[in-house]
Amino acid sequence: MDQSIDQERQLLVRLAWLYYVGGHSQEEISEQTGLSRFKILRLLSKARDAKIVKISIDHQSVETHRLADALCRRFGLVECIVSPPMGATADPQADEARARHAVGICSAAFLARRLQGATSPIIGLAWGRTIAAMVDEMPKINRPDARFVSLMGSLSRTARTNPFEVVQKLAETCGGEAYILPAPFITDSEEDYQIIMAQSLVRQTLALAQKADFYIASFGDCSMNSFIHQHGLLRSEEIEDVLASGAVADMLGKFFNRDGKPVPSKLNYRTPGISIDDMARHEIVLLAAGLAKAEAAEALLRSGLINRLIVDGDLATRLISE
C-alpha cells in the first residue's frame, strides 16, 4: 500500500474512534490533532464512505499493533488487542467510561470470533463494569449450544454488572444457556465459605466452570476508593486488612500483590468461586480499561495467569512506559 494512502487511513481510523467511540466533539478533536473542524468533518465523511465506520469501528492500526506486540513480548501473552489511544481529559471518570466502552467493543468482537469458531463452547465469565460493556456491545449470534457460566459469587442487589445479569443477557443474545453460581461474592467467615462451597448447586456450577474453554475476567484495584469497597462488598476493616497484606489487585474474587502473587489474606478463603489452581489451568482473557487500573493490571500481567489481554490504548501506552 502506498505510504501516503496508509497514513491517511490511520488518520481516518483515529478520527472515527475519537468521534464515534470516544465521544469527543469536533472541537476537542481539532485541539488534539491540529486539524480544522471543516477538515475533520470531511474526513469523518470519508471514513464512512470507506466503510471504516460501520456497526463497529475498524480499530486496527499501526499504532495499536505496535502496542499489542510490545505488550505480548513484555508479558508473554498469546494475543493482545488494543484500542486506539484517545488521550486523557480533565474528567477522569468520563475517560474511564470511554475506555470501558472501547474495550467493550473490542472484547465483544473477540468473543463473537471465538464463538463462531468453537464447537459447543463453554465460556466462564467474571462480572464488573467492563464485562457489562462487552455484553452491551455483543452482536446477535445464533449459538444455542453455547453455555455461559459465572465464575464467582454475586452482588447483594440487582445491577447490570452482577453475574446473573451479565451471564443471562449474554446467553439471551446468543440463544445459549446461562449458569449462575448461587453464592455471595464474600462470606462472613471461612466456615461459611466451606459450607457454601459444599452445596450441590455450587459444586455443579463450578464443575461446569472447570470445563470451560476459556475465562473472560475483569479486575479491580485494591484501595479505599475501589469498586468492591465503595459498593459495600468489603467493610473498611476488611479492605485495610487486605491492603496490609500487600494486595494491589483483585481478579475473580482473589487478591494479588505487585508481583502477581496471591496475598496471605483470609479474604482469599472467603470468596466462593473458582480457585487460583483453576485459573492456572485455563486460558484467561483479561479486559483492562482505564488509567486508574495501571498498577493492578501490571500486577496481574506479572502473575503468569493471563494469556490474552484486551486493553484501551491509553492504558496500553502506560503499561509499556512503566
Side-chain angles (χ1 to χ4, degrees), residues 100 126-133 160-163 166 218 227:
R100 285 197 299 269
W127 53 261
R129 291 172 292 181
T130 311
I131 297 284
R160 56 189 292 275
T161 58
N162 218 0
V166 166
S218 58
F227 179 90

Side-chain angles (χ1 to χ4, degrees), residues 142-211:
N142 184 29
R143 288 305 306 259
D145 60 337
R147 288 177 284 179
F148 303 94
V149 56
S150 58
L151 303 175
M152 50 198 295
S154 301
L155 301 172
S156 59
R157 62 186 183 284
T158 300
R160 56 189 292 275
T161 58
N162 218 0
F164 179 84
E165 282 71 22
V166 166
V167 175
Q168 185 65 32
K169 184 176 179 181
L170 193 53
E172 289 175 356
T173 300
C174 300
E177 297 179 343
Y179 295 82
I180 312 300
L181 186 66
F185 170 72
I186 188 167
T187 61
D188 291 337
S189 66
E190 293 179 58
E191 291 76 16
D192 290 339
Y193 168 87
Q194 296 295 338
I195 292 172
I196 287 175
M197 292 291 284
Q199 300 301 305
S200 60
L201 286 177
V202 172
R203 287 189 285 106
Q204 289 169 16
T205 303
L206 291 177
L208 180 63
Q210 290 163 355
K211 297 177 182 177

